Every structure is written in C-alpha cells, then in structure tokens.
Amino acid sequence: MSFPVDNTTGNNNANTMASDPRLIYYDIAFAVPREKNTAAPNPWKARYALNFKGVPYKTEWVQMPDITKVRKGLGASACRKFADGTDYYTLPVLKDSTTGAIVGDSFDIALYLQETFPDSGSGDLFPEQPDLNYVCPGAEEVLIPLSKREDVQHKDYSKFNTNVDWAFTLHTALMASGMKWDKEFEQGIKDEFVRRLGAKSWEDMGVYGEKRVHMLESLKQTLTGLAGLYKRNENGPFLLGDRASHADFIVGGWLRFMERTLPADEWKQAEGWHDGVFGKLHAALQERFGDVK
C-alpha cells in the first residue's frame, strides 16, 4: 500500500536531530492535562497500535480550529466526507521522518506500522481470526461521516472497523457533551459542532431523562453481538485470549471515549454489560497499551 510522502523530510534531512523520535503523531488537543482528557476514538485506535508496536514517537497536539490547516500543511487529504459531500478534515495523522510518509487515517496508520515494522513490539497487528463477523443492527441510520474502505488490505478487519464505528456512532449523543476542551477554545469548538450537526445549541445536542435511559439500553443491545465475539474465548480479555490485535484497538478506541465522556455512574454500568467483557477489555488495553507519549 502506498502513502503520501513529505519530500521535505527523509534520510537526507540534516536538520533532524538524532534524538528526535522517528514518528510524529498528530492528535486532537483536548483539555489539559491532555494525557487524562484525550478521548477521540480514532486517534486512540492508532495510539494503541503505536504502543503495541513499541516504536518511539511523540505527540503533536492540534487544537480543533487548526486541524484543517495542519492536515493540509502536511499534505494529508481528507479521508472522510460530510453528508453533503464536502471534505471533512480530522485527525489522526502520522508522519514518518525517515521515509517521509504521511498517513492520515487510523486504519491506514495500523497498516503502515505493520508494513514498516513487521516484527516490532508485540508482533502482528492483523493476525488471522475468522470470527470478525460483527454486523451492527440499524447501521443504515448513520448520518455522521464514516470512512469507506473500498480497496484495502485485511478487509475483514476493515469491515469490522466500519461496523464497530456504526454501533457507537449511532449513540454518540450520549457522550459528546462530556468532551473537555481548553477554556480559550471551548466555545468555538462547541459552536462548530452545533454548526456541523445543524443543532440549535450545544445543550440541544445532548440526550436527557427517559430518552437517555432508552439510548443507553439501545447501545447495550447493539453491542450484544460484539460482546458475543469476546465471550467465545474464555481466557480473554482480547478476541484472541491474551493476545491483542488491531480488532481490539478498534473497539478500545470507543471504550476510551465512553470512559472519558460518560457520567461516572453510566460508565460503571457499561463496564458491567455482557458479563463485563468491555470493562475488562478497556482495563487491559489501558494497562498494556495506554501510554500517552
């Protein structure tokens, strides 16, 4: 698979300090302390993959209003679209200062890491597993832009990624209001979300009362089939028992989002859903691959 290349970097760049990490990871800047509050699902999928591979990297935090400018400046095209067909610029982006590669999608980042560092860290991000057959019920209702993968390696993982994204995206109204931003950018970011979704106000985007209770139950039921995949291996907490893969990181990115944005009592409920498979998965991922560098 080929990736865009930044011709200003590479082995001949005399200005690159030998002590600098080879990989630069561009992530969304949530409120300080960022290590605690960073929550976006797709950046967490790729961060888990980076930590799994154990390759040195450093994070460049990008404020929401600057994402389009930074992404365009890196030469990373938009990998998603709004419902009206216009480009949607988001993060993460990975820059490899040795090869000059610019990789601008969480799934592509995992592919790049496996291709470039096949034997590093904990091994293969994409081991064969025939049971990635989760299908999200009600997926046709999704209106938020999702990446479509037409020509990609590991199509079983790609399809799994799409269905997991659908499952959680259908219920993001539960979580969006819990995101924490730096005070000087907070109002502008909220206004942008309101504009994108055509809402009347930030508060109007939330879900409250009985409607919230029903949506939490809906999320629980939507994840039933996914939980069933985890229950097949009694050794857990990963789909392959004690061996993590990118499929676990796909789910784990969303679990991190839930844990950081849901009220504490609701997250406690979610941890216990389906015999606690998701709570155990999240805890294991955070312990083993949850460093924020």
Side-chain angles (χ1 to χ4, degrees):
M1 186 173 186
S2 60
F3 299 94
V5 174
D6 179 355
N7 292 317
T8 66
T9 64
N11 292 319
N12 295 324
N13 187 354
N15 295 321
T16 300
M17 300 296 292
S19 60
D20 286 348
R22 169 177 174 174
L23 302 178
I24 310 299
Y25 186 59
Y26 295 84
D27 197 352
I28 300 169
F30 284 74
V32 293
R34 308 213 194 283
E35 295 81 0
K36 176 182 178 181
N37 292 314
T38 178
N42 285 316
W44 264 102
K45 295 176 192 178
R47 187 177 294 280
Y48 279 140
L50 279 161
N51 292 334
F52 177 92
K53 279 298 183 182
V55 183
Y57 71 95
K58 71 174 181 179
T59 302
E60 290 286 344
W61 299 104
V62 182
Q63 293 291 343
M64 283 280 290
D66 297 328
I67 289 176
T68 297
K69 178 180 67 176
V70 169
R71 192 174 177 105
K72 286 182 175 180
L74 290 168
S77 60
C79 61
R80 300 169 70 181
K81 297 282 187 181
F82 286 108
D84 64 2
T86 58
D87 287 339
Y88 175 31
Y89 290 91
T90 186
L91 296 175
V93 171
L94 183 71
K95 177 178 179 178
D96 187 332
S97 60
T98 297
T99 65
I102 302 293
V103 191
D105 175 88
S106 63
F107 196 86
D108 284 345
I109 289 171
L111 291 174
Y112 181 80
L113 292 172
Q114 184 57 38
E115 178 182 298
T116 309
F117 311 102
D119 301 317
S120 295
S122 298
D124 190 355
L125 279 164
F126 298 96
E128 183 177 349
Q129 45 182 322
D131 295 330
L132 293 179
N133 54 4
Y134 172 65
V135 176
C136 170
E140 68 277 1
E141 299 172 25
V142 175
L143 299 177
I144 298 173
L146 297 174
S147 301
K148 292 185 178 181
R149 313 293 309 191
E150 302 296 343
D151 181 20
V152 68
Q153 302 171 47
H154 304 294
K155 290 184 178 179
D156 52 344
Y157 279 81
S158 177
K159 184 178 179 180
F160 181 77
N161 183 53
T162 298
N163 278 278
V164 170
D165 278 359
W166 279 340
F168 287 95
T169 297
L170 285 167
H171 301 88
T172 50
L174 291 166
M175 310 159 210
S177 61
M179 294 185 288
K180 297 179 175 64
W181 311 103
D182 288 330
K183 290 298 182 184
E184 62 181 298
F185 298 99
E186 182 177 17
Q187 191 57 53
I189 291 170
K190 288 181 176 180
D191 290 345
E192 176 61 15
F193 274 112
V194 169
R195 184 194 67 79
R196 288 179 183 179
L197 298 178
K200 295 179 181 178
S201 67
W202 178 258
E203 290 71 24
D204 190 53
M205 291 169 52
V207 183
Y208 311 99
E210 196 67 21
K211 184 177 179 182
R212 187 172 185 89
V213 172
H214 287 311
M215 185 171 281
L216 276 167
E217 181 62 24
S218 172
L219 176 56
K220 178 182 177 181
Q221 295 306 319
T222 299
L223 297 177
T224 298
L226 182 59
L229 299 186
Y230 279 92
K231 291 181 181 181
R232 291 179 183 179
N233 195 318
E234 295 180 357
N235 295 324
F238 307 118
L239 285 168
L240 295 175
D242 63 354
R243 178 184 183 185
S245 72
H246 193 60
D248 299 299
F249 303 155
I250 288 166
V251 180
W254 284 102
L255 295 178
R256 167 74 182 199
F257 187 52
M258 289 178 66
E259 188 263 338
R260 290 288 88 188
T261 59
L262 285 176
D265 62 324
E266 292 181 358
W267 170 245
K268 188 172 181 62
Q269 291 179 46
E271 282 184 298
W273 289 347
H274 306 295
D275 299 323
V277 295
F278 297 121
K280 294 171 187 175
L281 173 61
H282 175 68
L285 289 173
Q286 286 289 289
E287 179 181 358
R288 292 177 57 177
F289 308 110
D291 290 344
V292 178
K293 303 175 183 179

